[in-house]
Amino acid sequence: MKERDESKILDILETKKTIHYTDLINELEVCMETARSRCIEIAKKYPKNVEYIRGLLRLKKSLTFNDLPSEKQIKALQQTIKTKQAKEEKLKKNHLPCLERAVEEANLKKIVEEVKKLKQLFGEK
C-alpha cells in the first residue's frame, strides 16, 4: 500500500471514526476492490486500533505515537523538531527584542504583556 493512501485513510478515520470502503474510492482515486483491500490492510496492520467488519472500517482506539510504524515515528519526530525550532525562532525574533526594550524603558506593563504572550505561545495559563 502506498504511504500516502495509508496516511489519508488514517486521517479520515481519526476524524470520522467509522468509514465504509466505498467512501475511499474518491478520496484515494482507486477502484472499489482496491479501496476494500486497503481497508483490510489497515485493519491487519493496526489490529489493536482498527477493525474491518462488513465493509466498515472502524477506529477502536486512537493511534498513538507508539502504534505508528517506525518510518512514521521518524517523520513525526522530525516535524516536532521543526515546530520547536520555528517557535524558538519566533521567540528570538519577536518577543525577546520587545522584552529588552521594555526593560530598558522600565515599562512593566509591556513586560507583563510579553510574558503573557509567551505563556500563550507555550500553552500555559
Side-chain angles (χ1 to χ4, degrees):
M1 173 182 341
K2 295 179 183 174
E3 186 178 320
R4 177 186 65 89
D5 289 351
E6 182 179 334
S7 293
K8 270 189 177 183
I9 293 170
L10 292 175
D11 289 342
I12 294 168
L13 202 53
E14 276 292 325
T15 56
K16 293 186 177 182
K17 306 299 182 212
T18 302
I19 52 175
H20 195 270
Y21 73 91
T22 55
D23 298 336
L24 296 175
I25 293 171
N26 290 332
E27 291 291 331
L28 303 178
E29 299 175 356
V30 295
C31 69
M32 192 179 304
E33 187 55 37
T34 303
R36 187 178 151 289
S37 66
R38 297 272 158 73
C39 288
I40 293 168
E41 287 178 51
I42 292 285
K44 285 181 181 177
K45 192 168 185 177
Y46 304 102
K48 293 184 221 170
N49 307 86
V50 179
E51 68 181 353
Y52 180 74
I53 301 173
R54 295 188 202 145
L56 289 175
L57 191 63
R58 186 175 74 83
L59 185 67
K60 295 191 290 187
K61 182 181 109 183
S62 289
L63 291 162
T64 62
F65 179 77
N66 294 329
D67 295 326
L68 297 174
S70 57
E71 61 270 1
K72 286 195 176 240
Q73 287 181 350
I74 291 169
K75 284 186 178 183
L77 289 172
Q78 288 173 337
Q79 185 60 40
T80 302
I81 290 169
K82 284 181 186 176
T83 304
K84 287 190 180 248
Q85 288 173 341
K87 278 187 177 182
E88 286 177 7
E89 193 61 37
K90 186 175 180 178
L91 288 174
K92 287 178 187 174
K93 189 189 257 184
N94 297 334
H95 296 289
L96 196 57
C98 276
L99 283 172
E100 288 172 341
R101 266 195 313 276
V103 168
E104 288 172 5
E105 296 169 1
N107 190 338
L108 294 178
K109 285 183 181 179
K110 282 187 180 179
I111 294 171
V112 171
E113 287 174 15
E114 284 300 313
V115 170
K116 285 180 183 177
K117 286 179 187 176
L118 287 171
K119 283 184 176 182
Q120 285 177 341
L121 197 65
F122 287 114
E124 296 178 10
K125 291 186 177 184

